[in-house]
Amino acid sequence: MSTQSIASAPTGRRARVLAPRSRRRLLVPMVVAAAFLVTQGVAQAVTPFIRQDDWGFLLPAGSPGAVPPSYYNLSEGRWLNTAWWFLVGQHGTPTTAALTYALGYAVLVAGMWRVLHLSGVRPGPVVDAVLGIALFASCVWVQLLYWPGALTPSVLVAAAAVWLLPWAACSRRRLGLWLLFGPMAAVMTYPPVGVVLLVFAVVILRGAPWRRVLFVVGGWVTGLGVGVGLAYTLNWITEGHFGLQLAAWRQANPLTSLDALVANAGRWLAATGSLWATQWWVALVGLVGIVLGWRDAAVRPRLQRLLVAFAVAAALDVAQSLAMGIVTEARGQLWTWLVALLPVALLLGADRRPRAADGVVRDRLASRVATGLLVVLAVGGVLAWRTDIGQHQATRQEYAAIAAAATAHDAGTVAPVVVVYQDRAVRDTRSGRLMASTMFMAVREEQGGVVPRWCSGVECRDLAARASSGPVIHLGPDGPGPEVVGIIVPPPPSWI
């Protein structure tokens, strides 16, 4: 038999191995694309809703109504985000930013899925497809989609790190470099993605000796510290301040007394309680998965190592809250979705040893329960995405329609002067300020960069008196100048 015929017609065990791998390569992009559609992620990517503080990363320097990205260097250490804005962000549009973010997230999900496959989680095609959808449809990560200008660097950093992880795990030196640069880059883009990197670094270790697990945790903490130190140093060089100057809305409360400790502990407990109360079903799925995994002798060692990673994530969250009085908002707790997903995924691992009859029965039962839990996560995650994106899209369409009506004018005529009114009681709240900014930017988009102004004096009184007439009110010409059109900002939506 010739060499050519051997290469062109693999037989036996080799053929049986190559076919599933080929199908799996097709399965991953197909499932990620399907998840992108069924979650309505495509709507946010093509017609994005942009949150208030993301505009600074989408507009050129000096644009009215936008905070410069350099502000976030000093307040949050986002130096790589600023570099991305300088090279890319300011030269694009909200849509190009949202599309880039969506692509980066898809690559990240594919990378996380690949790590699970390489770590022994290789269920059948149908269950594997459900696993991919559950990875994509994190009910936490969907809350980050509305900052594509600022957060695209973080998702690209995470995607690159996850894809490099299997290569790094083959060598202690490579893994050390990965543990240094991965968390360091995460700190200077969006620190919560760094915790995701730690969790998957532990997952790919499988049942490695504890000293290797502790090496990973220690190396990750070191990389985190280097990132913090580098951000602080850059702030000192450019602003003369070694550290961060936290924004006022974070309500920092440094640990200077016992009363501060009690207050900070109360803040953390309230934030944590609210987080898990909102996603109680995720907590329940995670608890069942952990209990089943602990009872399974084949899964227990890997589960124990995974729980250490989650404990490190929780400990850092507690330490930050107790030391500074600031809490990580729910959308920053990216690891909490993995608390449910990964214990369930470990139960689907195909690398089990032969067992006695009763052990086989228990394995099958656990596998079926794990599949059911995975379906719950996939369906629940998809519904969470559809709800979250649907609410934001409805508000975007409402504000865009108001802006279009307020700026409409006949061809050849002067564009109207647009003024904005908002009830003072609402304007002084955080949600009121966020939605007022959304309205300002909606008008800016309609007017090609011209930002409206707040109403003043008689304009405000007239708009307040006629508020029941609708969100767009024509106030008449401004003397010999163009017509003045008033916009009344709608009440903040329930999702804000």
Side-chain angles (χ1 to χ4, degrees), residues 46 68 108-109 148 161 163 249 267-268 285 293 316 344 428 431 436 460 466 473:
V46 175
L108 170 61
V109 170
W163 275 90
W249 66 267
R267 289 184 183 183
W268 179 81
V285 169
L316 287 176
V344 172
D428 291 336
S431 59
C460 291
R466 299 165 60 185
I473 297 175

mmCIF file of all heavy atoms in Angstrom, residues 46 68 108-109 148 161 163 249 267-268 285 293 316 344 428 431 436 460 466 473:
data_model
loop_
_atom_site.group_PDB
_atom_site.id
_atom_site.type_symbol
_atom_site.label_atom_id
_atom_site.label_comp_id
_atom_site.label_asym_id
_atom_site.label_seq_id
_atom_site.Cartn_x
_atom_site.Cartn_y
_atom_site.Cartn_z
ATOM 1 N N VAL A 46 -25.056 45.504 16.805
ATOM 2 C CA VAL A 46 -25.328 46.289 15.602
ATOM 3 C C VAL A 46 -25.903 47.659 15.931
ATOM 4 O O VAL A 46 -25.566 48.665 15.287
ATOM 5 C CB VAL A 46 -26.280 45.511 14.667
ATOM 6 C CG1 VAL A 46 -26.672 46.349 13.459
ATOM 7 C CG2 VAL A 46 -25.631 44.207 14.218
ATOM 8 N N PRO A 68 -12.703 62.615 29.705
ATOM 9 C CA PRO A 68 -11.528 62.079 29.004
ATOM 10 C C PRO A 68 -11.087 60.750 29.603
ATOM 11 O O PRO A 68 -11.164 60.551 30.826
ATOM 12 C CB PRO A 68 -10.465 63.167 29.208
ATOM 13 C CG PRO A 68 -10.918 63.929 30.411
ATOM 14 C CD PRO A 68 -12.414 63.893 30.385
ATOM 15 N N LEU A 108 -13.322 34.657 23.288
ATOM 16 C CA LEU A 108 -13.099 34.281 24.683
ATOM 17 C C LEU A 108 -13.905 33.043 25.054
ATOM 18 O O LEU A 108 -13.385 32.108 25.677
ATOM 19 C CB LEU A 108 -13.472 35.451 25.593
ATOM 20 C CG LEU A 108 -13.530 35.144 27.099
ATOM 21 C CD1 LEU A 108 -12.175 34.680 27.616
ATOM 22 C CD2 LEU A 108 -14.014 36.363 27.876
ATOM 23 N N VAL A 109 -15.192 33.016 24.694
ATOM 24 C CA VAL A 109 -16.040 31.865 25.009
ATOM 25 C C VAL A 109 -15.479 30.608 24.345
ATOM 26 O O VAL A 109 -15.399 29.542 24.971
ATOM 27 C CB VAL A 109 -17.488 32.132 24.571
ATOM 28 C CG1 VAL A 109 -18.324 30.850 24.675
ATOM 29 C CG2 VAL A 109 -18.102 33.226 25.417
ATOM 30 N N PRO A 148 -18.716 49.049 25.455
ATOM 31 C CA PRO A 148 -17.762 48.453 24.504
ATOM 32 C C PRO A 148 -16.506 49.278 24.297
ATOM 33 O O PRO A 148 -15.442 48.725 23.994
ATOM 34 C CB PRO A 148 -18.590 48.353 23.211
ATOM 35 C CG PRO A 148 -19.613 49.445 23.329
ATOM 36 C CD PRO A 148 -19.962 49.488 24.795
ATOM 37 N N ALA A 161 -5.353 35.528 26.722
ATOM 38 C CA ALA A 161 -4.799 34.760 27.837
ATOM 39 C C ALA A 161 -5.382 33.349 27.891
ATOM 40 O O ALA A 161 -4.656 32.373 28.135
ATOM 41 C CB ALA A 161 -5.064 35.499 29.148
ATOM 42 N N TRP A 163 -6.630 31.574 25.407
ATOM 43 C CA TRP A 163 -6.135 30.761 24.299
ATOM 44 C C TRP A 163 -4.672 30.366 24.494
ATOM 45 O O TRP A 163 -4.229 29.325 24.004
ATOM 46 C CB TRP A 163 -6.318 31.514 22.980
ATOM 47 C CG TRP A 163 -7.697 31.309 22.422
ATOM 48 C CD1 TRP A 163 -8.800 32.064 22.660
ATOM 49 C CD2 TRP A 163 -8.118 30.244 21.563
ATOM 50 N NE1 TRP A 163 -9.903 31.552 22.004
ATOM 51 C CE2 TRP A 163 -9.506 30.438 21.314
ATOM 52 C CE3 TRP A 163 -7.474 29.164 20.961
ATOM 53 C CZ2 TRP A 163 -10.242 29.567 20.504
ATOM 54 C CZ3 TRP A 163 -8.203 28.311 20.151
ATOM 55 C CH2 TRP A 163 -9.573 28.511 19.933
ATOM 56 N N TRP A 249 -18.570 58.688 43.713
ATOM 57 C CA TRP A 249 -19.757 57.826 43.739
ATOM 58 C C TRP A 249 -19.468 56.467 44.375
ATOM 59 O O TRP A 249 -20.399 55.759 44.799
ATOM 60 C CB TRP A 249 -20.312 57.632 42.326
ATOM 61 C CG TRP A 249 -19.433 56.885 41.369
ATOM 62 C CD1 TRP A 249 -18.536 57.418 40.511
ATOM 63 C CD2 TRP A 249 -19.378 55.471 41.179
ATOM 64 N NE1 TRP A 249 -17.914 56.430 39.784
ATOM 65 C CE2 TRP A 249 -18.416 55.220 40.178
ATOM 66 C CE3 TRP A 249 -20.040 54.387 41.755
ATOM 67 C CZ2 TRP A 249 -18.112 53.928 39.742
ATOM 68 C CZ3 TRP A 249 -19.734 53.107 41.322
ATOM 69 C CH2 TRP A 249 -18.785 52.885 40.322
ATOM 70 N N ARG A 267 -21.516 46.875 54.452
ATOM 71 C CA ARG A 267 -21.639 47.126 53.011
ATOM 72 C C ARG A 267 -21.407 45.853 52.209
ATOM 73 O O ARG A 267 -22.134 45.554 51.260
ATOM 74 C CB ARG A 267 -20.623 48.192 52.574
ATOM 75 C CG ARG A 267 -20.926 49.595 53.057
ATOM 76 C CD ARG A 267 -19.904 50.570 52.469
ATOM 77 N NE ARG A 267 -20.104 51.933 52.955
ATOM 78 C CZ ARG A 267 -19.397 52.981 52.556
ATOM 79 N NH1 ARG A 267 -18.425 52.812 51.667
ATOM 80 N NH2 ARG A 267 -19.643 54.189 53.029
ATOM 81 N N TRP A 268 -20.372 45.111 52.601
ATOM 82 C CA TRP A 268 -20.070 43.889 51.858
ATOM 83 C C TRP A 268 -21.197 42.867 51.998
ATOM 84 O O TRP A 268 -21.603 42.236 51.004
ATOM 85 C CB TRP A 268 -18.760 43.282 52.346
ATOM 86 C CG TRP A 268 -18.432 42.004 51.627
ATOM 87 C CD1 TRP A 268 -17.849 41.893 50.396
ATOM 88 C CD2 TRP A 268 -18.699 40.674 52.077
ATOM 89 N NE1 TRP A 268 -17.731 40.571 50.045
ATOM 90 C CE2 TRP A 268 -18.244 39.805 51.053
ATOM 91 C CE3 TRP A 268 -19.274 40.142 53.229
ATOM 92 C CZ2 TRP A 268 -18.353 38.409 51.171
ATOM 93 C CZ3 TRP A 268 -19.381 38.760 53.336
ATOM 94 C CH2 TRP A 268 -18.926 37.907 52.324
ATOM 95 N N VAL A 285 -28.074 25.945 41.580
ATOM 96 C CA VAL A 285 -27.437 25.012 40.639
ATOM 97 C C VAL A 285 -26.003 24.724 41.081
ATOM 98 O O VAL A 285 -25.550 23.566 41.076
ATOM 99 C CB VAL A 285 -27.460 25.590 39.212
ATOM 100 C CG1 VAL A 285 -26.559 24.768 38.287
ATOM 101 C CG2 VAL A 285 -28.880 25.613 38.667
ATOM 102 N N GLY A 293 -20.464 16.665 43.027
ATOM 103 C CA GLY A 293 -19.049 16.508 42.743
ATOM 104 C C GLY A 293 -18.261 16.039 43.951
ATOM 105 O O GLY A 293 -17.332 15.237 43.828
ATOM 106 N N LEU A 316 -10.511 38.162 48.079
ATOM 107 C CA LEU A 316 -10.096 39.463 47.559
ATOM 108 C C LEU A 316 -11.241 40.456 47.597
ATOM 109 O O LEU A 316 -11.040 41.647 47.888
ATOM 110 C CB LEU A 316 -9.584 39.310 46.125
ATOM 111 C CG LEU A 316 -8.216 38.642 45.958
ATOM 112 C CD1 LEU A 316 -7.894 38.464 44.485
ATOM 113 C CD2 LEU A 316 -7.131 39.464 46.639
ATOM 114 N N VAL A 344 -20.714 21.769 37.594
ATOM 115 C CA VAL A 344 -21.578 20.944 36.748
ATOM 116 C C VAL A 344 -20.780 20.373 35.586
ATOM 117 O O VAL A 344 -20.915 19.198 35.232
ATOM 118 C CB VAL A 344 -22.772 21.778 36.239
ATOM 119 C CG1 VAL A 344 -23.565 21.001 35.194
ATOM 120 C CG2 VAL A 344 -23.681 22.166 37.400
ATOM 121 N N ASP A 428 -30.904 65.053 40.415
ATOM 122 C CA ASP A 428 -29.889 64.960 41.461
ATOM 123 C C ASP A 428 -29.593 63.524 41.880
ATOM 124 O O ASP A 428 -28.820 63.292 42.811
ATOM 125 C CB ASP A 428 -30.330 65.770 42.688
ATOM 126 C CG ASP A 428 -30.314 67.270 42.412
ATOM 127 O OD1 ASP A 428 -29.572 67.689 41.512
ATOM 128 O OD2 ASP A 428 -31.057 68.008 43.086
ATOM 129 N N SER A 431 -29.327 57.627 38.922
ATOM 130 C CA SER A 431 -30.064 57.114 37.768
ATOM 131 C C SER A 431 -30.529 58.258 36.870
ATOM 132 O O SER A 431 -30.514 58.143 35.639
ATOM 133 C CB SER A 431 -31.257 56.270 38.223
ATOM 134 O OG SER A 431 -32.139 57.031 39.018
ATOM 135 N N ALA A 436 -30.078 61.237 31.789
ATOM 136 C CA ALA A 436 -29.918 62.545 31.157
ATOM 137 C C ALA A 436 -28.736 62.518 30.197
ATOM 138 O O ALA A 436 -28.812 63.035 29.074
ATOM 139 C CB ALA A 436 -29.728 63.622 32.215
ATOM 140 N N CYS A 460 -37.195 76.453 31.329
ATOM 141 C CA CYS A 460 -37.458 75.363 32.266
ATOM 142 C C CYS A 460 -38.875 75.445 32.827
ATOM 143 O O CYS A 460 -39.570 74.419 32.941
ATOM 144 C CB CYS A 460 -36.441 75.397 33.411
ATOM 145 S SG CYS A 460 -34.747 74.976 32.919
ATOM 146 N N ARG A 466 -45.618 72.241 30.794
ATOM 147 C CA ARG A 466 -46.184 71.522 29.649
ATOM 148 C C ARG A 466 -45.680 70.088 29.568
ATOM 149 O O ARG A 466 -45.758 69.435 28.524
ATOM 150 C CB ARG A 466 -45.838 72.274 28.361
ATOM 151 C CG ARG A 466 -46.399 73.690 28.324
ATOM 152 C CD ARG A 466 -45.759 74.534 27.221
ATOM 153 N NE ARG A 466 -45.983 73.959 25.888
ATOM 154 C CZ ARG A 466 -45.462 74.444 24.766
ATOM 155 N NH1 ARG A 466 -44.670 75.531 24.830
ATOM 156 N NH2 ARG A 466 -45.710 73.883 23.598
ATOM 157 N N ILE A 473 -41.254 69.331 23.026
ATOM 158 C CA ILE A 473 -42.120 70.525 23.083
ATOM 159 C C ILE A 473 -41.438 71.661 22.319
ATOM 160 O O ILE A 473 -40.282 72.001 22.593
ATOM 161 C CB ILE A 473 -42.386 70.941 24.538
ATOM 162 C CG1 ILE A 473 -43.138 69.826 25.267
ATOM 163 C CG2 ILE A 473 -43.164 72.256 24.602
ATOM 164 C CD1 ILE A 473 -43.337 70.075 26.742
#
